[in-house]
Amino acid sequence: MQRSRAYEEFDRQVRVLAEKDYPGLSGLGAEGFAALVKPLRDAAVEAAGADGGPWPGEDGGSPGRIPFVLVVTRDVVPIEESMVRTALPRGRKPGFVDRSYEEGALARFTATEETALPDPRAYLLTGVDRGEEFCGAVPADAMAAIRARGRTPLTIEEGIALVTLFPAALEKNKCFSLGGSRCGDRRVPALWISDRAPKLGWCWEGNPHTWLGMASAAARTAGRAD
């Protein structure tokens, strides 16, 4: 991928988040939010070059494989706020958190220790795959296979970032679990389509679903400060 194309894509992702009022929701304002994500811009170019694949919408590109995704965590924008700013392509209904999360449960679904976030606020997710090959697989087995490949399951915030910036990644019968966030029990968070909108729910780690894969990434990076 050309460097200019990678820069353009990074800037597009920042612009999408700005249009969805991430700077205001974060309390940082436009300048503060820009400063938060600026160190990731060059890292995005490096990630795009390492991936070598086309972007979704380009010739040969897949909506389920993306070289890099800009992730802003719940420490900056609450999950409830970021989730309602997702939507399906050309969809009018906002995403939502399923009521199966009992009061206080969502806060307990945090990144696992092995996930090792490079920054608690914002970072870059690279080599992203929504994991449709795992549709119909037992989630626990899918997570084991992903780790055996040296990859990492996505967290809740990473899944939301993926759908926010690439709405077409969430398709009927090609939805995905987010095994990088757990709360200590057998529940695995997941994103799927309900009532024509993205929904953040969860499924049991031992129960397979034909329409639910397991999203993963090659790595995470916080970039380098100037």
Side-chain angles (χ1 to χ4, degrees):
M1 174 182 288
Q2 295 180 347
R3 290 175 60 88
S4 60
R5 172 67 179 89
Y7 280 130
E8 289 173 2
E9 172 56 29
F10 180 83
D11 293 342
R12 182 196 71 85
Q13 294 188 23
V14 174
R15 187 166 60 251
V16 169
L17 297 183
E19 291 170 352
K20 293 181 180 292
D21 197 30
Y22 273 52
L25 293 166
S26 68
L28 296 171
E31 292 186 3
F33 188 79
L36 174 67
V37 301
K38 181 181 178 181
L40 303 171
R41 195 168 187 260
D42 287 336
V45 175
E46 295 176 7
D51 183 272
W55 283 91
E58 295 180 343
D59 186 28
S62 165
R65 298 202 66 218
I66 296 147
F68 65 79
V69 175
L70 175 59
V71 180
V72 175
T73 75
R74 70 184 73 184
D75 282 9
V76 179
V77 176
I79 289 173
E80 294 86 351
E81 293 289 351
S82 59
M83 192 63 207
V84 298
R85 285 163 174 78
T86 64
L88 299 178
R90 297 174 296 280
R92 296 184 178 181
K93 292 188 174 183
F96 63 99
V97 177
D98 188 71
R99 60 184 179 184
S100 62
Y101 284 96
E102 70 275 14
E103 185 176 356
L106 193 57
R108 297 196 297 273
F109 279 89
T110 56
T112 63
E113 184 175 349
E114 66 180 335
T115 300
L117 300 184
D119 189 281
R121 300 186 303 159
Y123 56 89
L124 210 66
L125 191 66
T126 65
V128 182
D129 192 320
R130 68 182 173 190
E132 60 204 72
E133 68 176 285
F134 295 110
C135 287
V138 173
D141 293 343
M143 287 186 284
I146 286 168
R147 290 167 182 140
R149 298 174 187 176
R151 293 177 60 84
T152 175
L154 265 59
T155 67
I156 288 176
E157 289 101 312
E158 291 164 357
I160 293 174
L162 176 58
V163 175
T164 300
L165 297 168
F166 298 91
L170 192 65
E171 292 186 83
K172 182 180 179 181
N173 297 324
K174 294 181 181 179
C175 303
F176 43 86
S177 293
L178 304 168
S181 293
R182 303 297 297 273
C183 71
D185 60 19
R186 296 176 57 249
R187 293 180 289 179
V188 182
L191 282 167
W192 66 86
I193 299 171
S194 178
D195 194 24
R196 294 176 292 173
K199 179 172 79 169
L200 175 62
W202 57 263
C203 294
W204 300 114
E205 66 179 9
N207 290 0
H209 296 279
T210 58
W211 42 270
L212 198 59
M214 181 69 65
S216 69
R220 300 173 177 89
T221 178
R224 297 186 296 272
D226 291 339

